[in-house]
Coordinates of all heavy atoms in Angstrom, one line a residue:
T316 N -1.2 160.6 -3.5 CA -1.6 159.7 -4.5 C -0.8 159.8 -5.8 O -0.6 160.8 -6.3 CB -3.1 160.0 -4.9 OG1 -3.8 160.1 -3.7 CG2 -3.7 158.9 -5.8
F317 N -0.2 158.7 -6.2 CA 0.6 158.7 -7.4 C -0.2 158.4 -8.6 O -1.4 158.0 -8.6 CB 1.4 157.3 -7.4 CG 2.6 157.6 -6.4 CD1 2.4 157.8 -5.1 CD2 4.0 157.3 -6.9 CE1 3.6 158.0 -4.2 CE2 5.1 157.5 -6.0 CZ 4.8 157.8 -4.7
D318 N 0.3 159.1 -9.8 CA -0.4 158.8 -11.1 C -0.4 157.5 -11.4 O 0.4 156.7 -11.1 CB 0.5 159.7 -12.2 CG 0.6 161.1 -11.8 OD1 -0.3 161.6 -11.2 OD2 1.4 161.7 -12.4
R319 N -1.3 157.2 -12.4 CA -1.5 155.9 -12.9 C -0.2 155.3 -13.6 O 0.4 156.1 -14.3 CB -2.7 155.9 -13.9 CG -3.1 154.4 -14.4 CD -4.1 154.6 -15.7 NE -4.0 153.4 -16.4 CZ -4.6 152.4 -16.2 NH1 -5.4 152.2 -15.2 NH2 -4.5 151.4 -17.0
P320 N 0.2 154.1 -13.2 CA 1.4 153.6 -13.9 C 1.3 153.2 -15.3 O 0.2 152.8 -15.6 CB 1.8 152.3 -12.9 CG 0.4 151.9 -12.4 CD -0.3 153.2 -12.4
T321 N 2.4 153.1 -16.1 CA 2.4 152.5 -17.3 C 3.2 151.3 -17.3 O 2.9 150.2 -17.1 CB 2.9 153.5 -18.5 OG1 4.1 154.0 -17.9 CG2 1.8 154.6 -18.7
N322 N 4.5 151.4 -17.4 CA 5.5 150.3 -17.4 C 6.5 150.6 -16.4 O 7.6 150.0 -16.4 CB 6.1 149.9 -18.8 CG 6.6 151.3 -19.4 OD1 6.9 152.1 -18.9 ND2 6.9 151.1 -20.8
V323 N 6.4 151.4 -15.5 CA 7.2 151.7 -14.3 C 6.4 151.7 -13.1 O 5.5 152.4 -12.8 CB 7.9 153.1 -14.5 CG1 8.8 153.3 -13.2 CG2 8.8 153.2 -15.7
T324 N 6.8 150.9 -12.1 CA 6.1 150.9 -10.7 C 7.1 150.8 -9.6 O 8.2 150.8 -9.8 CB 5.1 149.7 -10.7 OG1 4.3 149.8 -9.6 CG2 5.6 148.3 -10.7
L325 N 6.5 150.9 -8.4 CA 7.4 150.9 -7.2 C 6.9 150.1 -6.1 O 5.9 149.5 -6.1 CB 7.2 152.4 -6.7 CG 7.8 153.6 -7.6 CD1 7.0 154.8 -7.4 CD2 9.2 153.9 -7.4
L326 N 7.8 149.8 -5.2 CA 7.4 149.0 -3.9 C 8.3 149.5 -2.8 O 9.4 150.1 -3.0 CB 7.7 147.5 -4.2 CG 9.0 146.9 -4.5 CD1 9.9 146.8 -3.1 CD2 8.9 145.6 -5.1
G327 N 7.8 149.3 -1.6 CA 8.6 149.4 -0.3 C 8.9 150.9 0.0 O 8.1 151.7 -0.3
D328 N 10.1 151.1 0.6 CA 10.4 152.4 1.1 C 10.4 153.4 -0.1 O 10.4 154.6 0.2 CB 11.9 152.4 1.7 CG 11.7 151.9 3.2 OD1 10.7 151.5 3.6 OD2 12.8 152.1 3.8
A329 N 10.5 153.0 -1.4 CA 10.6 154.1 -2.6 C 9.2 154.7 -2.5 O 9.2 155.8 -3.0 CB 10.8 153.2 -3.8
V330 N 8.2 154.1 -2.0 CA 6.9 154.8 -2.0 C 6.6 155.3 -0.4 O 6.2 156.4 -0.2 CB 5.8 153.8 -2.3 CG1 4.4 154.5 -2.4 CG2 6.1 153.1 -3.5
H331 N 6.6 154.4 0.5 CA 6.1 154.7 1.7 C 7.2 154.4 2.9 O 7.1 153.7 3.8 CB 4.9 153.8 2.1 CG 5.0 152.3 1.6 ND1 6.0 151.5 2.1 CD2 4.3 151.5 0.7 CE1 5.8 150.4 1.4 NE2 4.8 150.4 0.7
T332 N 8.2 155.3 2.8 CA 9.3 155.4 3.8 C 8.6 155.7 5.1 O 7.8 156.7 5.2 CB 10.2 156.5 3.5 OG1 10.5 156.5 2.2 CG2 11.5 156.4 4.4
M333 N 9.2 155.2 6.2 CA 8.6 155.5 7.5 C 9.7 155.5 8.4 O 10.7 154.9 8.2 CB 7.4 154.7 7.9 CG 7.8 153.2 7.9 SD 6.3 152.0 8.0 CE 5.9 151.9 6.4
T334 N 9.5 156.0 9.6 CA 10.5 155.9 10.7 C 10.3 154.5 11.3 O 9.4 153.8 11.3 CB 10.2 157.0 11.8 OG1 9.0 156.8 12.4 CG2 10.5 158.3 11.2
P335 N 11.4 153.9 11.8 CA 11.3 152.5 12.4 C 10.5 152.3 13.8 O 10.6 151.3 14.3 CB 12.7 152.0 12.5 CG 13.6 153.1 12.2 CD 12.8 154.4 11.9
S336 N 9.6 153.3 14.1 CA 9.0 153.3 15.3 C 8.2 152.1 15.6 O 7.9 151.6 16.8 CB 8.2 154.5 15.5 OG 8.7 155.6 14.9
L337 N 7.6 151.5 14.5 CA 6.8 150.4 14.7 C 7.4 149.0 14.3 O 6.9 148.0 14.5 CB 5.4 150.4 13.8 CG 4.3 151.5 14.3 CD1 3.2 151.4 13.3 CD2 3.9 151.3 15.7
G338 N 8.5 149.2 13.6 CA 9.2 148.0 13.1 C 8.4 147.4 12.1 O 8.2 146.2 12.0
R339 N 7.9 148.1 11.1 CA 7.0 147.5 10.0 C 7.3 147.8 8.6 O 6.9 147.2 7.7 CB 5.6 148.0 10.2 CG 4.9 147.7 11.6 CD 3.5 147.2 11.4 NE 3.3 146.1 10.4 CZ 2.3 145.9 9.6 NH1 1.5 146.9 9.4 NH2 2.3 144.9 8.7
G340 N 8.4 148.7 8.4 CA 8.8 149.0 7.0 C 9.0 147.9 6.2 O 8.7 147.7 4.9
A341 N 10.0 147.1 6.7 CA 10.3 145.9 5.8 C 9.2 145.0 5.6 O 9.1 144.3 4.5 CB 11.5 145.0 6.6
N342 N 8.3 144.9 6.6 CA 7.2 144.0 6.5 C 6.2 144.5 5.3 O 5.8 143.6 4.5 CB 6.4 143.9 7.7 CG 7.1 143.1 8.9 OD1 7.3 141.9 8.7 ND2 7.7 143.8 9.8
V343 N 6.1 145.7 5.2 CA 5.2 146.2 4.2 C 5.9 146.2 2.9 O 5.3 145.8 1.8 CB 4.9 147.8 4.4 CG1 3.9 148.2 3.4 CG2 4.2 147.9 6.0
A344 N 7.2 146.4 2.8 CA 8.0 146.1 1.6 C 7.9 144.7 1.1 O 7.7 144.4 0.0 CB 9.4 146.4 1.7
L345 N 8.0 143.8 2.1 CA 7.8 142.2 1.6 C 6.3 142.1 1.1 O 6.1 141.2 0.2 CB 8.3 141.4 2.8 CG 9.8 141.4 3.1 CD1 10.1 140.7 4.4 CD2 10.6 140.8 2.0
R346 N 5.4 142.7 1.8 CA 3.9 142.4 1.4 C 3.8 143.0 0.0 O 3.1 142.4 -0.9 CB 3.0 143.2 2.4 CG 1.7 143.1 1.9 CD 0.7 143.7 2.9 NE -0.6 143.8 2.4 CZ -1.7 144.2 3.1 NH1 -1.6 144.6 4.4 NH2 -2.8 144.3 2.5
D347 N 4.4 144.2 -0.3 CA 4.4 144.8 -1.6 C 5.0 143.7 -2.6 O 4.4 143.6 -3.8 CB 5.2 146.0 -1.7 CG 4.6 147.2 -0.9 OD1 3.6 147.1 -0.3 OD2 5.4 148.2 -0.7
A348 N 6.1 143.2 -2.3 CA 6.8 142.3 -3.3 C 5.9 141.1 -3.6 O 5.9 140.8 -4.8 CB 8.2 142.0 -2.6
A349 N 5.2 140.6 -2.6 CA 4.5 139.4 -2.8 C 3.2 139.8 -3.5 O 2.9 139.2 -4.7 CB 4.0 138.9 -1.5
S350 N 2.7 140.9 -3.4 CA 1.5 141.4 -4.1 C 1.9 141.7 -5.6 O 1.1 141.2 -6.5 CB 0.9 142.7 -3.3 OG 0.1 143.3 -4.1
L351 N 3.0 142.4 -5.8 CA 3.3 142.9 -7.1 C 3.7 141.6 -7.8 O 3.4 141.4 -9.1 CB 4.5 143.8 -7.0 CG 5.1 144.2 -8.5 CD1 4.0 144.9 -9.3 CD2 6.2 145.4 -8.1
G352 N 4.4 140.6 -7.2 CA 4.7 139.4 -8.1 C 3.6 138.6 -8.5 O 3.5 138.3 -9.6
Q353 N 2.6 138.6 -7.5 CA 1.3 138.0 -7.9 C 0.7 138.6 -9.1 O 0.1 138.1 -9.9 CB 0.4 137.8 -6.7 CG -0.7 136.8 -6.8 CD -0.3 135.5 -7.2 OE1 0.6 134.9 -6.6 NE2 -0.9 134.8 -8.3
T354 N 0.5 140.0 -9.0 CA -0.1 140.7 -9.9 C 0.7 140.6 -11.4 O -0.2 140.4 -12.3 CB 0.0 142.4 -9.5 OG1 -0.6 142.5 -8.4 CG2 -0.5 143.3 -10.6

Side-chain angles (χ1 to χ4, degrees):
T316 306
F317 282 54
D318 301 334
R319 187 184 152 85
T321 51
N322 50 17
V323 176
T324 190
L325 295 152
L326 65 76
D328 276 14
V330 187
H331 38 63
T332 316
M333 61 192 83
T334 60
S336 322
L337 290 185
R339 294 223 60 218
N342 290 289
V343 186
L345 292 168
R346 175 173 172 177
D347 294 353
S350 162
L351 178 55
Q353 195 53 54
T354 299

